[in-house]
Amino acid sequence: MSDTIFSKIIRREIPADIVYESDEVLAFRDLNPQAPVHVLFIPKRELATLNDAGQTDALLLGQLLLAAADYARREGFAEQGYRTVVNCNEDGGQTVFYLHVHLLAGRRMHWPPG
Ligand code: DGP
């Protein structure tokens, strides 16, 4: 049984502000938001990093992005815009080793990212 924070959130062992759930995907607000809207989309089937995804995970990866886009439409900021980010390993800035898509919105994003 995995012991990452996000596995515990899926198992409801620690609380989270859950904003979306399907059979495959769970989404909840980031504890340390970097924008007025900062939601994390995670697969219920655990993958540690994007490097661990293969062809059999292609549908699941698409579902994560589509869930983020649906959320943006539902919340009314899709047209204004938003950013999705997947950090991978040390240089990518990944700190929780359970694959997740960040959805950031509500302010103008900068490029290049830090
Ligand atoms: P990353 O650096 O890409 O691995 O992002 C991990 C994110 O997870 C970071 O933005 C903070 C967030 N986070 C860490 N611990 C918790 C937690 O216990 N609850 C929630 N909701 N978010 C967390």
Side-chain angles (χ1 to χ4, degrees):
M1 186 183 289
S2 165
D3 241 1
T4 68
I5 292 162
F6 295 172
S7 325
K8 290 178 181 168
I9 288 175
I10 285 185
R11 297 198 299 267
R12 306 301 204 264
E13 290 171 10
I14 61 172
D17 187 358
I18 293 171
V19 297
Y20 171 82
E21 182 165 20
S22 70
D23 287 346
E24 295 84 16
V25 174
L26 187 72
F28 49 90
R29 291 188 202 284
D30 195 293
L31 201 60
N32 182 24
Q34 302 300 310
V37 177
H38 190 170
V39 173
L40 303 173
F41 290 78
I42 68 173
K44 288 190 173 173
R45 175 156 51 85
E46 183 171 356
L47 294 165
T49 79
L50 190 55
N51 289 339
D52 299 301
Q55 281 303 319
T56 53
D57 302 306
L59 179 61
L60 187 57
L61 293 177
Q63 285 167 330
L64 290 174
L65 287 176
L66 290 173
D70 279 347
Y71 181 79
R73 269 190 293 272
R74 265 200 322 279
E75 293 296 310
F77 58 82
E79 289 306 315
Q80 184 66 29
Y82 55 90
R83 180 170 290 174
T84 53
V85 175
V86 177
N87 295 326
C88 184
N89 279 342
E90 190 175 348
D91 275 4
Q94 185 173 7
T95 58
V96 177
F97 288 86
Y98 189 122
L99 177 72
H100 48 284
V101 173
H102 295 257
L103 171 65
L104 299 143
R107 67 168 170 83
R108 188 67 176 263
M109 301 298 152
H110 307 293
W111 196 264

